[in-house]
Amino acid sequence: MDKSATLRELAALVGGTVCGDAEIRIKRVAPLDVAKEGDLTFFTNPKYAAALLTTQASAVIIASGTEVDCHKPCLECANPYLAFAKILTLLAVTKPVGKGVLPGATVAPTAELATDVTIYPGCFIGERVRIGAGSVLYPGVVIYDDVIIGADCLLHAGVVVREGCRIGDRVILQPNVVIGADGFGFAPEGESYFKIPQVGIVVLEDDVEIGSCSCIDRAALGVTRIRRGTKIDNLVQIGHNVDVGEDTIIVSQAGIAGSTTIGRHCTFGGQSAATGHLKIGDNVTVGGRGGVAVDTPGNQVVSGAPAMPHRDWLRASMTFGKLPEMRRELSQLKHKVDQLEKLLKER
């Protein structure tokens, strides 16, 4: 069903103000260059000023205080990107209607499912599983025994949640996420390795999202925990007994080794990593490909491998391209010093 709202209603939603006709009805959000009548577009980068002049959109989201030549009704707000997200959610996202257990799904007799869940064909739900109201499990989802899943969760195709794990409310697991696979634990036995049983669980707190093909390993003992509001990108590995703080962002191809504790509101850039048994404070940003190898206090940006304060890394990286020249100069200086020492000895 098509949704629409007036610009006045959208301004109330995002805490913004309208300049121009507030009764224009908006049906969707679209980029500057493809927007048409009835669309709301957004302008946040001055380099797109020319496109703003030619857009066919009915209205534009802009940052408060922005001076632009627009000729369109504007929705001014403090955070245009957040406003865009909220309006897009209102106009384009429809809450799923519970369809129950569809033919082709397998549900153990001891499982407890809320009446308005949707379990698509090809799902397997194990013994004593509990699934909360409004949750949707798409085809091919496998839920092992004794798992608890909260309300309004979305588990996309191919997700696997292993035995005993706990998932909070409004959690989104993108396709092929694995929650609770065995942690990588092996005890050396001569030249071979003896598997250490991984008997802990994974807990995903409320409003967590995990990207496609990411893996959160179960604890050897106790809990691997991803705290409220954390967002994890595709292809991320979280090791056993890791504790990730609230509202943290972990970007694609990052890896966190076992038993590391990460504070709240941290950011790990793409291909970054942390070794095991570390403590990383609140509000730490690790740059792309950064490697954290020691305990890291909060409220700082680090980069490089091994990670160092970002400003130091920038200075060091500026030197890398000059290293061959510096090596030649050092070799020449060494040669001259050797010659001087030889002359001194001859005297």
Side-chain angles (χ1 to χ4, degrees):
M1 182 176 66
D2 290 339
K3 299 180 182 180
S4 66
T6 66
L7 203 57
R8 185 188 308 278
E9 292 168 336
L10 297 179
L13 173 69
V14 301
T17 58
V18 177
C19 296
D21 186 357
E23 302 307 318
I24 288 178
R25 186 155 290 274
I26 301 299
K27 296 182 179 180
R28 68 169 193 162
V29 181
L32 282 165
D33 57 343
V34 300
K36 299 178 181 178
E37 185 177 351
D39 292 346
L40 177 68
T41 191
F42 48 94
F43 175 77
T44 57
N45 192 325
K47 75 177 185 179
Y48 297 117
L52 179 63
L53 292 174
T54 59
T55 184
Q56 300 302 305
S58 293
V60 183
I61 302 171
I62 62 172
S64 300
T66 301
E67 296 183 3
V68 292
D69 186 10
C70 181
H71 307 299
K72 298 280 184 181
C74 293
L75 196 169
E76 294 188 5
C77 51
N79 188 338
Y81 195 54
L82 179 60
F84 156 76
K86 289 184 175 181
I87 293 170
L88 188 61
T89 299
L90 174 70
L91 298 180
V93 177
T94 301
K95 185 176 180 179
V97 176
K99 300 178 181 179
V101 180
L102 299 175
T106 300
V107 179
T110 57
E112 298 178 21
L113 278 56
T115 55
D116 57 349
V117 301
T118 301
I119 310 298
Y120 278 94
C123 289
F124 176 86
I125 311 297
E127 300 287 351
R128 299 171 298 281
V129 168
R130 289 157 46 194
I131 302 178
S135 289
V136 178
L137 278 61
Y138 285 95
V141 171
V142 176
I143 308 297
Y144 283 40
D145 296 346
D146 300 304
V147 168
I148 297 175
I149 298 172
D152 297 317
C153 293
L154 293 177
L155 277 63
H156 288 280
V159 165
V160 175
V161 182
R162 287 273 304 271
E163 64 277 8
C165 293
R166 305 286 186 264
I167 295 176
D169 298 336
R170 299 174 301 279
V171 170
I172 299 174
L173 304 181
Q174 298 292 348
N176 298 310
V177 164
V178 178
I179 303 298
D182 285 358
F184 194 69
F186 300 91
E189 186 177 20
E191 294 185 353
S192 62
Y193 296 90
F194 186 88
K195 182 176 177 61
I196 300 171
Q198 306 291 292
V199 298
I201 63 171
V202 172
V203 173
L204 306 182
E205 296 185 357
D206 297 346
D207 300 302
V208 165
E209 180 163 353
I210 311 292
S212 296
C213 299
S214 290
C215 299
I216 316 296
D217 286 351
R218 69 194 308 109
L221 299 170
V223 175
T224 301
R225 186 180 298 273
I226 311 298
R227 296 185 183 269
R228 181 203 55 77
T230 285
K231 315 300 183 188
I232 295 177
D233 199 359
N234 304 330
L235 299 170
V236 170
Q237 163 65 25
I238 305 294
H240 56 189
N241 293 94
V242 167
D243 189 321
V244 178
E246 296 179 353
D247 295 312
T248 286
I249 296 290
I250 302 179
V251 182
S252 182
Q253 297 184 19
I256 311 298
S259 299
T260 284
T261 298
I262 297 171
R264 65 172 303 279
H265 203 257
C266 292
T267 299
F268 281 73
Q271 296 186 340
S272 61
T275 59
H277 301 272
L278 298 183
K279 290 186 178 180
I280 298 171
D282 297 341
N283 303 308
V284 171
T285 295
V286 181
R289 294 189 175 181
V292 181
V294 297
D295 290 350
T296 302
N299 303 303
Q300 62 173 317
V301 180
V302 298
S303 298
M308 64 184 72
H310 184 64
R311 289 182 180 276
D312 293 344
W313 168 252
L314 289 177
R315 295 189 187 98
S317 62
M318 291 174 64
T319 306
F320 293 158
K322 300 177 182 178
L323 287 177
E325 179 185 350
M326 292 170 64
R327 185 176 183 275
R328 285 193 297 271
E329 290 178 351
L330 184 61
S331 178
Q332 291 170 359
L333 286 171
K334 183 178 182 301
H335 179 67
K336 290 179 179 180
V337 169
D338 290 343
Q339 288 181 323
L340 288 171
E341 288 180 342
K342 185 179 180 180
L343 288 173
L344 289 173
K345 287 179 180 180
E346 290 176 351
R347 291 183 180 180

